[in-house]
Amino acid sequence: MRDIANKIGVSSVTVSKALNDKDGVSEELKDKIKQLAADMGYRFNSVARSMKDGLSYNIGVVIPERFAGANQFYLHFYEHLSKVLDNHKYYGILQILNVYDEEQLVLPRIYHEKKVDGFIILGQISKPYMELLQQADVPFLFLDFYTDDVDIDAIISDNFYGMYEMTNYLIKQGHDKIAFVGNIYSTSSIQDRFLGYYKSILEHHLQLQEDYVIPDRDRRGTFVDLQLPKDMPTAFVCNCDRVAYILSNKLKEHGYRIPEDCSVVGFDNDIYSTIADPQLTTVEVNVEEMSQAAVKSIIEKVKNPKHTIGRLMVKGRIIHRQSVSAVKQPHSL
Amino acid sequence: MRDIANKIGVSSVTVSKALNDKDGVSEELKDKIKQLAADMGYRFNSVARSMKDGLSYNIGVVIPERFAGANQFYLHFYEHLSKVLDNHKYYGILQILNVYDEEQLVLPRIYHEKKVDGFIILGQISKPYMELLQQADVPFLFLDFYTDDVDIDAIISDNFYGMYEMTNYLIKQGHDKIAFVGNIYSTSSIQDRFLGYYKSILEHHLQLQEDYVIPDRDRRGTFVDLQLPKDMPTAFVCNCDRVAYILSNKLKEHGYRIPEDCSVVGFDNDIYSTIADPQLTTVEVNVEEMSQAAVKSIIEKVKNPKHTIGRLMVKGRIIHRQSVSAVKQPHSL
DNA sequence: CTGAAAGCGCTTACAG
DNA sequence: CTGAAAGCGCTTACAG
């Protein structure tokens, strides 16, 4: 292509400079060159640029299989990431990490073929896979989860305080029998949300009954049947909207009215919170801001592999809907 | 990297051949080279290959903004595409086409930078934008919609027969007052589904009352309030699950029971069909097979720009759930 | 302000 | 079975 542009009698160097608006070419020449390029339908070849500076300008977004599919939340997240990447002249390549590859510790082909300059890992992966990544020769960061290893950069929503504030809110509404729904050993997010809930419980000197922590899934993430406590709580704090939705249906089946008989709250503000009847009060995850932060950080790390951001928390906020009501006889303090 | 592989005393040509399992290298040498490459943590540079053969091995998947976001169906579709592309040693780059770019007729940057070898357009785009694409120097095909221009390759679900069979089924259940819900001017899919419905109506000599075609959205795709006919139908055929879900809620608000008072069916078999209460009988779109076909076709077109597939229909099938019941007093034939 | 030269890491004929 | 040469389309020093 560039040769053809030479047909106005300049070298390819000059054309390159003109098209990239670099110094060392007169304005008139630049305009003339740009004009001709447009007329000729010239398209820049980003591959050649990549060849030169060793950067693909692609970022791999890795979503473990179990979080994709039914759970559209991460796909929605990916959509945001892809837009933000675009704004930074980068592109996202989605990589669903299947169970087999995760267990067998095989890195995706986009790694082996140097298709990407870095990875955003969206959704908790196994410990051994984390170690595999660390040995690999590519920058990466965790999005929406983290690990106890402080050296790994992670961007997470503020699960702890989000749930802490949500539980505080319920207690202010007079609730004192509050259950938590979620397997507290399955992901760091769920665990932190539980701990935020627990902090609120402790601060208010409430009792944490054993059967008030209700597992929602097994270790592999498969949902299990929810066991309602014998002594019914007045409020359920669910680790995510989807489970809150499932719980709502179950409660209604058992003849409980929401929010009159018990309140239900979720987390994420995803589709399930608006689909539930009544709609769920929940904590909104700031996907937009998290995406911005993730993209900025990974690009920074591509430029400077030593760059580190540590653990970045992004605040959410409570969205009030119809699934919470004050307790009839407020608890006396 | 390859230079380093030279350290066993062969040329880069031999290494290239060995790693690509080409003829002209002894098996022993091949093994030795592969072994060393693995030990040294050699990573193939796909950019250089792209440079050489002028192919990026990326396919751009373009989703118009209005179909993304709330409607996770296309995102889900993208997930499938991305997996299938992976299996074909290709990669997908998601491009959300925003309203502005579509109106101003600007092609995405992945086109201008030769980032992709072809486009899969997932979701109906405006006529002028179609023409723009045709002038562009890149193969593309339409997925899940088509246009009257026969020259443009398109892969669609069999909307017409899907809805035709669904309506037949309702009529067999004794329904004779069947309404269609959907703006029949907004997309080719909806129009075809309507026509399938209409064919069934005609074949059974039923009357198509004017207010039995209920618009669900305006031209821009924004949902509008559904107008229930004065003379209530016994069944509603909705152009998609989401609208069927919305309608279900509206009917229940008005005191109608589903399916006792009226049956409701959808199309797509997406999340809305299982979220609705009762769950919806619907037509499942074969996303898997459509993805396979789309990927195969676009790669074929990349290799041979003259290759054409025309309009490919992929069959769906009826999924039976609880939103349909036979009419109490069956219509006498 | 302009351009000749070199190089990014591969692969494809072609010659030995 | 093996390798020297050329080239894909850019950009980056460097020299004029």
Side-chain angles (χ1 to χ4, degrees):
Chain A
M1 288 273 175
R2 194 133 295 186
D3 323 49
I4 321 187
N6 275 7
K7 297 310 184 282
I8 40 173
V10 295
S11 79
S12 65
V13 179
T14 305
V15 176
S16 170
K17 283 175 186 162
L19 259 25
N20 288 304
D21 255 328
K22 299 225 167 170
D23 287 342
V25 185
S26 65
E27 284 304 323
E28 307 141 67
L29 224 196
K30 275 190 191 174
D31 288 346
K32 194 172 160 196
I33 290 171
K34 285 179 189 169
Q35 185 61 51
L36 186 68
D39 290 352
M40 293 176 35
Y42 165 77
R43 287 195 289 151
F44 174 79
N45 188 330
S46 59
V47 172
R49 186 227 280 139
S50 289
M51 178 95 237
K52 194 80 211 330
D53 50 37
L55 256 28
S56 65
Y57 296 96
N58 295 145
I59 295 293
V61 179
V62 176
I63 304 181
E65 197 172 26
R66 63 180 166 285
F67 294 124
N71 184 342
Q72 3 63 342
F73 181 61
Y74 277 156
L75 280 179
H76 176 70
F77 216 134
Y78 175 71
E79 187 192 332
H80 275 264
L81 283 170
S82 135
K83 275 190 206 162
V84 177
L85 282 164
D86 197 0
N87 294 339
H88 286 77
K89 311 260 174 199
Y90 256 82
Y91 299 98
I93 293 184
L94 176 66
Q95 182 75 47
I96 305 293
L97 176 64
N98 64 50
V99 179
Y100 178 84
D101 285 351
E102 187 173 353
E103 276 177 2
Q104 295 300 307
L105 299 181
V106 346
L107 288 168
R109 200 155 39 86
I110 45 174
Y111 169 73
H112 288 107
E113 294 192 350
K114 289 197 183 150
K115 262 289 201 182
V116 296
D117 302 334
F119 282 112
I120 291 174
I121 313 292
L122 181 53
Q124 184 122 10
I125 52 175
S126 72
K127 262 273 155 51
Y129 206 86
M130 290 180 190
E131 282 156 24
L132 178 66
L133 271 172
Q134 280 183 279
Q135 286 157 30
D137 177 30
V138 69
F140 65 94
L141 57 79
F142 293 159
L143 185 54
D144 204 39
F145 73 103
Y146 68 93
T147 165
D148 48 6
D149 185 339
V150 207
D151 292 341
I152 302 185
D153 293 340
I155 292 169
I156 49 179
S157 69
D158 201 338
N159 293 308
F160 183 83
Y161 279 100
M163 214 45 135
Y164 169 69
E165 284 173 10
M166 180 62 104
T167 311
N168 284 347
Y169 163 69
L170 288 172
I171 293 175
K172 273 204 203 94
Q173 298 296 309
H175 294 277
D176 58 357
K177 290 161 70 180
I178 306 175
F180 179 87
V181 183
N183 179 344
I184 62 178
Y185 300 106
S186 67
T187 70
S188 59
S189 293
I190 297 181
Q191 202 163 72
D192 291 351
R193 290 173 191 182
F194 166 73
L195 290 171
Y197 150 86
Y198 191 40
K199 178 184 170 69
S200 173
I201 295 290
L202 288 176
E203 278 191 1
H204 292 85
H205 298 282
L206 298 180
Q207 206 63 35
L208 179 62
Q209 301 185 42
E210 203 180 332
D211 62 352
Y212 271 26
V213 177
I214 306 165
D216 65 332
R217 65 191 80 185
D218 61 23
R219 290 276 186 123
R220 303 192 146 247
T222 315
F223 285 111
V224 299
D225 201 38
L226 301 173
Q227 300 300 324
L228 297 181
K230 265 144 268 155
D231 179 18
M232 272 295 282
T234 60
F236 290 87
V237 169
C238 302
N239 81 87
C240 68
D241 286 339
R242 187 165 178 206
V243 158
Y245 167 74
I246 294 171
L247 176 72
S248 294
N249 290 341
K250 188 173 187 109
L251 288 172
K252 285 187 284 183
E253 274 169 30
H254 283 69
Y256 296 101
R257 294 162 304 158
I258 303 170
E260 293 82 357
D261 299 327
C262 41
S263 298
V264 173
V265 299
F267 205 107
D268 288 341
N269 192 35
D270 65 22
I271 189 172
Y272 288 101
S273 62
T274 54
I275 267 164
D277 180 31
Q279 297 197 336
L280 299 170
T281 291
T282 189
V283 179
E284 180 186 49
V285 170
N286 196 334
V287 172
E288 184 58 36
E289 197 179 323
M290 288 174 75
S291 299
Q292 295 276 6
V295 168
K296 259 183 213 154
S297 305
I298 194 67
I299 292 179
E300 199 61 54
K301 283 163 79 79
V302 167
K303 288 185 193 149
N304 173 14
K306 296 214 182 99
H307 184 259
T308 154
I309 55 161
R311 215 173 274 163
L312 192 72
M313 307 264 236
V314 176
K315 275 242 164 195
R317 66 191 174 99
I318 297 180
I319 307 282
H320 294 278
R321 294 208 182 87
Q322 296 84 46
S323 66
V324 172
S325 72
V327 165
K328 301 268 157 54
Q329 313 128 289
H331 177 67
S332 61
L333 300 176
Chain B
M1 289 271 176
R2 194 134 292 187
D3 322 48
I4 321 189
N6 276 8
K7 297 310 182 283
I8 40 173
V10 295
S11 78
S12 64
V13 179
T14 305
V15 176
S16 171
K17 283 175 185 161
L19 260 23
N20 289 302
D21 256 328
K22 300 227 166 167
D23 287 342
V25 185
S26 65
E27 283 305 322
E28 308 142 65
L29 225 196
K30 274 190 191 174
D31 288 346
K32 195 171 159 194
I33 290 171
K34 285 179 190 169
Q35 185 62 50
L36 185 69
D39 291 351
M40 291 176 35
Y42 165 76
R43 287 196 288 151
F44 175 79
N45 189 330
S46 59
V47 172
R49 186 226 280 138
S50 290
M51 178 95 237
K52 193 81 211 332
D53 51 37
L55 255 28
S56 66
Y57 297 97
N58 296 144
I59 295 293
V61 179
V62 176
I63 305 181
E65 196 171 26
R66 62 181 168 284
F67 294 124
N71 185 342
Q72 2 62 342
F73 182 61
Y74 277 156
L75 279 180
H76 177 69
F77 217 133
Y78 174 71
E79 188 192 331
H80 275 264
L81 284 170
S82 137
K83 274 190 207 162
V84 177
L85 282 165
D86 197 0
N87 294 338
H88 286 77
K89 310 261 173 197
Y90 256 83
Y91 299 98
I93 292 185
L94 175 66
Q95 182 76 47
I96 306 292
L97 177 63
N98 65 50
V99 180
Y100 178 85
D101 285 353
E102 187 172 354
E103 276 176 3
Q104 296 301 308
L105 299 180
V106 346
L107 288 168
R109 198 156 41 87
I110 45 175
Y111 170 74
H112 288 108
E113 294 192 349
K114 289 196 183 153
K115 262 290 202 183
V116 296
D117 301 335
F119 282 112
I120 292 173
I121 313 292
L122 180 52
Q124 185 124 9
I125 52 175
S126 71
K127 263 272 154 50
Y129 206 86
M130 290 180 189
E131 283 157 23
L132 178 66
L133 271 171
Q134 281 183 280
Q135 286 157 29
D137 177 29
V138 70
F140 65 94
L141 57 79
F142 293 159
L143 184 54
D144 204 39
F145 74 102
Y146 68 93
T147 165
D148 48 5
D149 185 339
V150 207
D151 293 340
I152 301 184
D153 292 339
I155 292 169
I156 49 180
S157 69
D158 201 337
N159 294 307
F160 183 84
Y161 280 100
M163 214 45 135
Y164 169 70
E165 283 173 11
M166 180 63 103
T167 311
N168 284 348
Y169 163 69
L170 288 172
I171 293 174
K172 274 203 204 93
Q173 298 297 308
H175 294 277
D176 58 357
K177 291 161 69 179
I178 305 175
F180 179 86
V181 184
N183 178 343
I184 62 179
Y185 300 105
S186 66
T187 71
S188 58
S189 294
I190 297 180
Q191 202 162 72
D192 291 350
R193 290 173 191 181
F194 166 74
L195 290 171
Y197 150 86
Y198 191 41
K199 177 183 172 69
S200 173
I201 296 290
L202 288 176
E203 279 191 2
H204 293 83
H205 298 283
L206 298 180
Q207 207 62 34
L208 178 62
Q209 301 185 42
E210 202 180 333
D211 62 353
Y212 271 26
V213 177
I214 307 166
D216 65 332
R217 65 191 79 185
D218 61 23
R219 290 276 186 125
R220 304 192 143 245
T222 314
F223 285 111
V224 299
D225 200 39
L226 301 173
Q227 301 299 325
L228 298 181
K230 263 144 269 156
D231 179 18
M232 272 295 282
T234 61
F236 290 87
V237 168
C238 302
N239 81 86
C240 68
D241 286 339
R242 188 167 176 204
V243 158
Y245 168 74
I246 294 171
L247 176 73
S248 294
N249 290 340
K250 190 177 186 105
L251 287 173
K252 285 188 286 183
E253 273 168 30
H254 282 69
Y256 296 101
R257 292 163 306 158
I258 304 169
E260 294 81 357
D261 299 326
C262 41
S263 297
V264 174
V265 300
F267 206 108
D268 287 341
N269 192 33
D270 65 22
I271 190 171
Y272 288 100
S273 63
T274 54
I275 267 165
D277 179 30
Q279 298 196 337
L280 300 171
T281 291
T282 188
V283 179
E284 181 186 49
V285 170
N286 196 334
V287 172
E288 184 59 36
E289 197 178 322
M290 288 174 75
S291 300
Q292 296 275 6
V295 167
K296 259 183 213 155
S297 305
I298 194 69
I299 292 178
E300 200 60 54
K301 283 164 78 79
V302 166
K303 288 186 195 149
N304 173 13
K306 296 214 182 96
H307 184 259
T308 153
I309 57 161
R311 214 173 275 164
L312 192 72
M313 307 265 237
V314 176
K315 274 242 166 197
R317 65 191 175 98
I318 297 181
I319 307 283
H320 294 279
R321 295 210 182 86
Q322 296 85 46
S323 66
V324 173
S325 72
V327 166
K328 302 269 157 53
Q329 312 127 291
H331 178 68
S332 60
L333 301 176

